[in-house]
Amino acid sequence: MPKRVLCPRCERPSTVCLCHAITPLEHKLPVEILIHPSELKAAKGTARLTAQVLQHCRLWPGEDEADFAPLRAALGDRPAYLLYPGKNAQPVEQTRLPEQAQLLLLDGTWGKTHKILKLNPWLDALPRLSFAEAPAGRYEIRKAHRADSLSTLEATAYALQKLEGCDPEPLYRAFEALKQSQLAHMPEAVRLRYRSEKR
């Protein structure tokens, strides 16, 4: 079987390239995404697409403290905030971050991100941010186990919009292209159900 040709820019198979939908988004707040290794090749994952749209975003694959040692070194002494629900989390809608702040997100299923949190006490010690009024998730084609679940791209878009007022449209444009690409390769019955639910 011939090897699939990957687009060098979006890193997706050339037959489902998303470069036409990727427009760089200017923003000030650096975004660091700690991605569980199981998500690296997930076709429906949004972390890689998020990093391709944002001008200041890096992916850090891993699970335990050793995996994220390079990230900790890169953060240095700059203030870091973890976007993750918690009882002491500050709402992004009412928060103004200090200069040189960094925003960290965990990418994976709820179970995988919870495991990353437990294996990294330094993450648990960071000040947390969350959403007081989370927007409705738009990722209908990927099953969510919680009603308030958002994809990494959606969470990042909403956080940047509230924290620094940037227009998240480039992220949502790429997101829509990803969903349409996935739908195009689904059985007709699934596509019809998805479209009827959107009405």
Side-chain angles (χ1 to χ4, degrees):
M1 182 179 293
K3 188 175 182 180
R4 291 190 303 176
V5 178
L6 298 181
C7 170
R9 184 184 176 203
C10 71
E11 301 177 23
R12 294 173 59 82
S14 56
T15 53
V16 289
C17 173
L18 295 179
C19 288
H20 66 281
I22 297 176
T23 304
L25 172 60
E26 294 184 13
H27 60 104
K28 296 178 181 178
L29 181 63
V31 176
E32 313 287 355
I33 301 177
L34 291 72
I35 180 171
H36 192 275
S38 64
E39 291 292 318
L40 283 173
K41 294 185 179 181
K44 296 179 184 179
T46 65
R48 190 177 300 280
L49 187 59
T50 302
Q52 289 163 348
V53 174
L54 298 184
Q55 290 193 331
H56 309 293
C57 180
R58 293 179 291 186
L59 296 181
W60 302 89
E63 193 173 61
D64 58 28
E65 288 193 78
D67 294 331
F68 299 122
L71 166 59
R72 297 183 71 183
L75 291 175
D77 295 327
R78 288 170 293 178
Y81 290 78
L82 178 64
L83 184 62
Y84 198 86
K87 61 180 180 180
N88 295 318
Q90 307 170 51
V92 297
E93 297 89 346
Q94 303 165 23
T95 300
R96 184 170 184 175
L97 298 184
E99 290 289 328
Q100 297 190 319
Q102 310 270 305
L103 183 65
L104 276 61
L105 291 92
L106 307 183
D107 181 81
T109 63
W110 279 110
K112 297 285 177 56
T113 58
H114 184 69
K115 185 176 182 181
I116 290 175
L117 204 57
K118 290 300 180 184
L119 292 174
N120 293 270
W122 66 276
L123 278 175
D124 206 23
L126 294 177
R128 289 200 200 181
L129 300 173
S130 65
F131 303 145
E133 299 178 6
R138 304 183 193 179
Y139 210 3
E140 303 90 343
I141 61 174
R142 189 167 190 176
K143 186 177 181 181
H145 296 286
R146 289 176 46 148
D148 60 349
S149 292
L150 293 176
S151 67
T152 295
L153 183 146
E154 293 171 292
T156 304
Y158 185 73
L160 288 178
Q161 182 181 21
K162 294 302 178 182
L163 291 169
E164 62 173 74
C166 52
D167 181 2
E169 183 54 31
L171 282 166
Y172 288 128
R173 187 184 308 120
F175 187 43
E176 187 61 31
L178 173 63
K179 290 191 290 183
Q180 294 305 319
S181 173
Q182 290 297 316
L183 278 171
H185 293 82
M186 288 181 176
E188 181 65 18
V190 177
R191 290 202 299 272
L192 291 174
R193 185 171 68 246
Y194 167 77
R195 287 169 181 151
S196 66
E197 288 172 353
K198 284 190 70 177
R199 294 190 185 123

